[in-house]
């Protein structure tokens, strides 16, 4: 059995939307101390494009999270594998996610971050699959709403493969 990837969002569509998100964020956070928290590994490509689309002062930090094994189903358990390098007390934080699926990861991170005394915490996600929501999560800055399909590319993996694809697609078994 082999696999092929069917394009869902092209590199051009993604780039155009990321530029819009960057402009939206820059406008809202003008003259504030913005910290982008990049949730590893899936959002590393999105975050690297997004941060360059935001004009103004931005600090970038990374958070390692494990919620999936090698499969495609969430375990509901969120483990921090790498914490932030600096405190976020008094800062305006945006958590940058690749995709909000069941919402469990982001709900857990919001709870965790609120205990650290930031001035504000918002969420920016490239993708959202509302059909799979298990907890209510507010995505403040959203790239695209997608249907309930397992997607790869632009940082998103399937068993650690396909992160390097410049577009987002669906894995099809042929
Ligand atoms: P949640 O906790 O919202 O269910 O899941 C969030 C995480 O699950 C995402 O950050 C991502 O790593 C992974 N995930 C959810 N849906 C997909 C998908 O369609 N494709 C890939 N590659 N990862 C997904």
């Amino acid at each position: 059995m082999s696999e092929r990837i069917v394009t869902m969002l092209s590199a051009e569509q993604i780039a155009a939307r990321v530029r819009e998100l960057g402009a939206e964020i820059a406008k809202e956070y003008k003259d504030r101390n913005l910290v982008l928290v990049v949730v590893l590994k899936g959002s590393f490509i999105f975050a690297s494009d997004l941060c360059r689309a935001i004009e103004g002062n931005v600090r970038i930090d990374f958070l390692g999270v494990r919620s999936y094994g090698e499969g495609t189903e969430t375990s509901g358990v969120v483990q921090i594998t790498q914490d932030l390098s600096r405190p976020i007390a008094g800062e305006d934080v945006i958590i940058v996610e690749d995709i909000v699926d069941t919402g469990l990861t982001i709900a857990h991170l919001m709870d965790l971050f609120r205990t650290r005394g930031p001035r504000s915490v918002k969420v920016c996600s490239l993708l959202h699959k509302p059909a799979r929501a298990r907890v209510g999560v507010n995505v403040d800055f959203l790239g695209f709403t997608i249907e309930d399909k397992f997607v790869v590319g632009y940082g998103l993996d399937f068993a650690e493969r396909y992160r390097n694809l410049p577009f987002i697609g669906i894995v099809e078994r042929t």
Side-chain angles (χ1 to χ4, degrees), residues 66-75 157 159-160:
R66 186 178 299 140
S67 58
Y68 273 33
E70 294 277 292
T72 60
E73 276 302 307
T74 188
S75 61
D157 74 310
E160 292 301 326

Side-chain angles (χ1 to χ4, degrees), residues 67-68 74 97-106 129 149-152 156-158:
S67 58
Y68 273 33
T74 188
E97 260 287 24
D98 48 359
I99 182 164
V100 175
D101 184 23
T102 62
L104 291 168
T105 305
I106 215 68
K129 267 192 228 174
K149 292 267 163 65
F150 190 81
V151 291
V152 297
L156 289 145
D157 74 310
F158 176 55

Side-chain angles (χ1 to χ4, degrees), residues 65-127:
V65 162
R66 186 178 299 140
S67 58
Y68 273 33
E70 294 277 292
T72 60
E73 276 302 307
T74 188
S75 61
V77 178
V78 180
Q79 186 193 347
I80 305 292
T81 57
Q82 182 192 314
D83 208 341
L84 300 177
S85 67
R86 287 216 216 160
I88 50 168
E91 313 240 38
D92 289 303
V93 175
I94 297 182
I95 303 175
V96 181
E97 260 287 24
D98 48 359
I99 182 164
V100 175
D101 184 23
T102 62
L104 291 168
T105 305
I106 215 68
H108 179 88
L109 295 182
M110 293 291 282
D111 286 349
L112 173 70
F113 280 20
R114 284 199 189 105
T115 66
R116 299 183 178 187
R119 186 163 174 263
S120 66
V121 186
K122 288 199 176 185
V123 175
C124 176
S125 182
L126 179 65
L127 306 173

Side-chain angles (χ1 to χ4, degrees), residues 1-6 149-150 152 162 169-174:
M1 200 160 64
S2 63
E3 288 167 2
R4 75 184 180 116
I5 310 295
V6 181
K149 292 267 163 65
F150 190 81
V152 297
Y162 301 121
I170 300 163
V171 184
E172 261 193 9
R173 300 269 154 79
T174 54

